[in-house]
């Protein structure tokens, strides 16, 4: 019980997956999640400076050429 919210963070461009790999980890592991297009993955977002967990996130890559953007 408590408060909750959903935020959307959109990354795009050639280096979007590289940026995400720097700040995301699989939940309970020390490696980035797989970035399979159109498949949602649960991950933990880390502070890029301290490496401390910030929040749990849902990652949904939409990789080209299968993305509208």
């Amino acid at each position: 019980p408590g408060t909750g919210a959903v935020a959307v963070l959109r990354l795009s461009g050639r280096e979007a997956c590289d940026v995400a790999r720097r700040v995301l980890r699989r939940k309970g592991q020390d490696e980035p999640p797989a970035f399979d297009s159109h498949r949602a993955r649960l991950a933990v977002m880390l502070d890029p400076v301290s490496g401390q967990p910030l929040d749990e996130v849902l990652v949904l890559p939409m990789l080209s050429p299968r993305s509208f953007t």
Side-chain angles (χ1 to χ4, degrees), residues 20-26 31-33 35 43-45 57 59:
R21 280 185 189 92
R22 287 184 228 147
V23 296
L24 297 177
R25 294 294 173 265
R26 288 180 170 182
E31 59 187 50
F35 292 113
V44 175
M45 179 175 273
V57 298
V59 180

Side-chain angles (χ1 to χ4, degrees), residues 9 11 16-27 29-35 41-48 51 54-61:
L9 173 63
L11 300 177
C17 287
D18 292 333
V19 170
R21 280 185 189 92
R22 287 184 228 147
V23 296
L24 297 177
R25 294 294 173 265
R26 288 180 170 182
K27 188 171 179 177
Q29 298 182 13
D30 199 25
E31 59 187 50
F35 292 113
R41 304 272 186 201
L42 184 61
V44 175
M45 179 175 273
L46 307 176
D47 180 299
L54 295 173
D55 207 348
E56 289 184 357
V57 298
L58 191 59
V59 180
L60 181 59

